[in-house]
Amino acid sequence: MKTNEDSRHPNLPPMGAQDFSEIEDWPGYFGAVLGKGARDTLIGALNSFEQEGFKNGFAVDLAAGEGRDSLELLRRNWSVLATDNHPEAFPFLWARVPEKLKSQLTTKEVSFCDMEFPDCDLVNASFALPFCEPTHFQVLWNKIVASIRPGGRFSGQFFGKRDSWASISNRSHHSQEEVLELLNGFEIEMMREEERDDPPELRKPKHWQIFHIVAKKN
Ligand SMILES: C[S@@+](CC[C@H](N)C(=O)[O-])C[C@H]1O[C@@H](n2cnc3c(N)ncnc32)[C@H](O)[C@@H]1O
């Protein structure tokens, strides 16, 4: 499809990560973001743990994709269960894990609706939850909350209802009030709302409304 479209419109900018995300072409997305650094929300959560003197925890990296955040967790000597439902995600991750850290990583191919969460210190869900079908969202969220120990953290993103992709039927988008309701029982350490329009020169400019979250469970 990409090839045909490009040959019909030779002046279109190349597909970027967001174009692959929109159509859920995950291998395309993995290739487009490969080598990018860990998400700010994960860094914020890990820094908060370190400020408390807590090290070497156990994290679930939900919908880890090509593994940018899992790599950072491993680099900081955490143990990681990285999950994703796309079979092409984990080879990107394993290929970049230093030999001495491999024993700290487990990967599991599983969909949001079939997730079983072990007890953990951190659930990291970077740009993941909006891709959960609305019918499965609340059960998934309940499992996330139950798995995090008191004093543990959630880091990740929710997409708002004013985001262009809110109209895509299999996506889960939340208003600020709904996000706050979901985080009941957590102390919110970061809630940064990003709302902006893409510049027109992008291939398919969209409106973004993202809530970047770090929250500590009471
Ligand atoms: C936008 S990417 C985010 C990847 C990575 N966490 C990051 O921050 O770049 C969304 C990820 O969700 C995964 N995904 C999509 N639908 C899923 C589902 N139903 N169950 C589990 N993972 C899913 C995709 O394979 C992809 O890796």
Side-chain angles (χ1 to χ4, degrees):
M1 185 173 109
K2 181 189 160 199
T3 313
N4 291 341
E5 199 178 329
D6 283 352
S7 59
R8 283 199 311 270
H9 305 284
N11 294 327
L12 266 182
M15 299 269 287
Q18 73 188 64
D19 303 304
F20 291 118
S21 291
E22 177 169 8
I23 61 171
E24 299 180 29
D25 173 348
W26 298 122
Y29 174 87
F30 303 149
V33 299
L34 194 62
K36 289 194 184 287
R39 303 286 188 182
D40 287 349
T41 37
L42 174 69
I43 300 285
L46 291 177
N47 289 348
S48 294
F49 278 116
E50 286 176 14
Q51 279 158 19
E52 294 168 345
F54 182 83
K55 291 181 182 162
N56 309 346
F58 170 52
V60 176
D61 191 8
L62 181 69
E66 90 303 341
R68 64 202 291 175
D69 285 352
S70 291
L71 282 174
E72 177 67 16
L73 284 156
L74 292 166
R75 198 183 65 74
R76 297 204 195 196
N77 218 20
W78 281 56
S79 297
V80 183
L81 169 62
T83 72
D84 202 285
N85 77 337
H86 202 289
E88 291 181 41
F90 300 129
F92 287 99
L93 170 57
W94 280 111
R96 293 179 294 155
V97 179
E99 202 59 43
K100 67 177 193 299
L101 296 175
K102 284 192 169 152
S103 63
Q104 290 170 223
L105 174 66
T106 305
T107 53
K108 190 167 182 193
E109 194 183 308
V110 58
S111 283
F112 293 130
C113 57
D114 296 323
M115 271 298 294
E116 295 299 335
F117 289 82
D119 293 344
C120 62
D121 303 297
L122 170 69
V123 171
N124 181 62
S126 290
F127 290 84
L129 296 175
F131 299 97
C132 178
E133 287 202 22
T135 47
H136 300 305
F137 185 89
Q138 192 59 48
V139 172
L140 176 67
W141 181 252
N142 292 346
K143 288 181 187 173
I144 290 172
V145 173
S147 72
I148 301 172
R149 63 153 167 93
R153 287 182 169 82
F154 168 81
S155 51
Q157 282 70 24
F158 296 91
F159 282 5
K161 296 205 167 186
R162 292 195 293 273
D163 190 281
S164 303
W165 292 345
S167 59
I168 302 176
S169 63
N170 65 347
R171 302 290 175 86
S172 291
H173 287 239
H174 298 86
S175 66
Q176 185 179 48
E177 294 69 30
E178 289 169 343
V179 173
L180 290 170
E181 180 67 24
L182 290 168
L183 293 171
N184 193 15
F186 286 79
E187 177 194 335
I188 298 174
E189 297 179 317
M190 178 205 288
M191 182 167 189
R192 185 167 64 80
E193 182 178 0
E194 180 183 351
E195 184 157 17
R196 62 178 171 83
D197 289 309
D198 279 327
E201 61 269 23
L202 286 199
R203 184 184 179 101
K204 191 168 179 193
K206 72 178 284 277
H207 184 77
W208 294 92
Q209 188 192 16
I210 310 172
F211 298 101
H212 300 273
I213 305 292
V214 179
K216 180 176 182 177
K217 190 173 168 187
N218 295 328

Short mmCIF file of all heavy atoms in Angstrom, two decimals, residues 19 35 40 67-68 99 110 114 141-142 161 166 207:
data_model
loop_
_atom_site.label_atom_id
_atom_site.label_comp_id
_atom_site.label_asym_id
_atom_site.label_seq_id
_atom_site.Cartn_x
_atom_site.Cartn_y
_atom_site.Cartn_z
N ASP A 19 2.80 7.95 11.25
CA ASP A 19 2.02 7.39 10.13
C ASP A 19 1.88 5.88 10.28
O ASP A 19 0.82 5.30 10.04
CB ASP A 19 2.71 7.73 8.80
CG ASP A 19 2.88 9.22 8.62
OD1 ASP A 19 1.88 9.94 8.69
OD2 ASP A 19 4.04 9.66 8.45
N GLY A 35 16.58 2.93 17.85
CA GLY A 35 17.74 3.71 18.29
C GLY A 35 17.38 4.94 19.09
O GLY A 35 18.26 5.61 19.63
N ASP A 40 10.64 10.09 28.45
CA ASP A 40 10.80 10.95 29.63
C ASP A 40 10.04 10.42 30.84
O ASP A 40 10.47 10.60 31.97
CB ASP A 40 10.29 12.36 29.32
CG ASP A 40 11.22 13.11 28.40
OD1 ASP A 40 12.35 12.62 28.18
OD2 ASP A 40 10.81 14.17 27.90
N GLY A 67 11.71 -1.75 22.10
CA GLY A 67 12.41 -1.94 23.36
C GLY A 67 13.23 -0.79 23.89
O GLY A 67 14.07 -0.98 24.77
N ARG A 68 12.97 0.43 23.44
CA ARG A 68 13.78 1.57 23.91
C ARG A 68 13.74 1.71 25.43
O ARG A 68 14.76 2.01 26.05
CB ARG A 68 13.29 2.86 23.24
CG ARG A 68 11.87 3.22 23.61
CD ARG A 68 11.18 4.12 22.63
NE ARG A 68 11.70 5.47 22.58
CZ ARG A 68 11.28 6.40 21.71
NH1 ARG A 68 10.35 6.11 20.82
NH2 ARG A 68 11.77 7.60 21.73
N GLU A 99 25.22 -8.90 26.61
CA GLU A 99 25.22 -10.31 27.05
C GLU A 99 25.01 -10.42 28.56
O GLU A 99 24.22 -11.24 29.03
CB GLU A 99 26.54 -10.96 26.63
CG GLU A 99 26.51 -12.47 26.53
CD GLU A 99 25.46 -12.97 25.54
OE1 GLU A 99 25.32 -12.42 24.43
OE2 GLU A 99 24.76 -13.93 25.93
N VAL A 110 2.12 -11.30 23.93
CA VAL A 110 0.77 -11.42 24.50
C VAL A 110 0.00 -10.13 24.22
O VAL A 110 0.57 -9.03 24.22
CB VAL A 110 0.86 -11.72 26.02
CG1 VAL A 110 1.64 -10.66 26.78
CG2 VAL A 110 -0.53 -11.90 26.64
N ASP A 114 -5.09 -10.48 27.11
CA ASP A 114 -4.65 -11.72 27.76
C ASP A 114 -3.53 -11.49 28.77
O ASP A 114 -2.95 -12.46 29.28
CB ASP A 114 -4.16 -12.73 26.70
CG ASP A 114 -5.27 -13.17 25.77
OD1 ASP A 114 -6.41 -13.31 26.25
OD2 ASP A 114 -5.02 -13.33 24.57
N TRP A 141 -6.53 -2.03 32.86
CA TRP A 141 -6.10 -1.03 33.84
C TRP A 141 -6.20 -1.59 35.26
O TRP A 141 -5.29 -1.39 36.08
CB TRP A 141 -6.91 0.26 33.69
CG TRP A 141 -6.46 1.30 34.67
CD1 TRP A 141 -7.12 1.73 35.78
CD2 TRP A 141 -5.20 1.98 34.67
NE1 TRP A 141 -6.37 2.65 36.46
CE2 TRP A 141 -5.18 2.82 35.80
CE3 TRP A 141 -4.09 1.97 33.82
CZ2 TRP A 141 -4.09 3.64 36.11
CZ3 TRP A 141 -3.00 2.78 34.12
CH2 TRP A 141 -3.01 3.59 35.26
N ASN A 142 -7.28 -2.31 35.54
CA ASN A 142 -7.43 -2.90 36.88
C ASN A 142 -6.27 -3.86 37.17
O ASN A 142 -5.76 -3.90 38.30
CB ASN A 142 -8.75 -3.67 37.00
CG ASN A 142 -9.95 -2.74 36.95
OD1 ASN A 142 -9.82 -1.53 37.07
ND2 ASN A 142 -11.13 -3.31 36.73
N LYS A 161 -9.22 13.05 24.46
CA LYS A 161 -10.37 12.92 23.55
C LYS A 161 -10.32 13.93 22.42
O LYS A 161 -11.04 13.79 21.43
CB LYS A 161 -11.66 13.06 24.33
CG LYS A 161 -11.81 11.93 25.34
CD LYS A 161 -13.23 11.64 25.70
CE LYS A 161 -13.25 10.31 26.43
NZ LYS A 161 -14.51 9.78 26.75
N ALA A 166 -8.77 9.90 18.33
CA ALA A 166 -9.89 9.49 19.20
C ALA A 166 -11.06 8.95 18.39
O ALA A 166 -11.88 8.19 18.89
CB ALA A 166 -10.33 10.67 20.06
N HIS A 207 -3.78 16.44 15.15
CA HIS A 207 -3.84 17.14 16.43
C HIS A 207 -3.49 16.12 17.51
O HIS A 207 -4.01 15.01 17.52
CB HIS A 207 -5.26 17.70 16.67
CG HIS A 207 -5.36 18.50 17.91
ND1 HIS A 207 -4.88 19.79 18.01
CD2 HIS A 207 -5.86 18.20 19.13
CE1 HIS A 207 -5.08 20.25 19.22
NE2 HIS A 207 -5.68 19.31 19.93
#
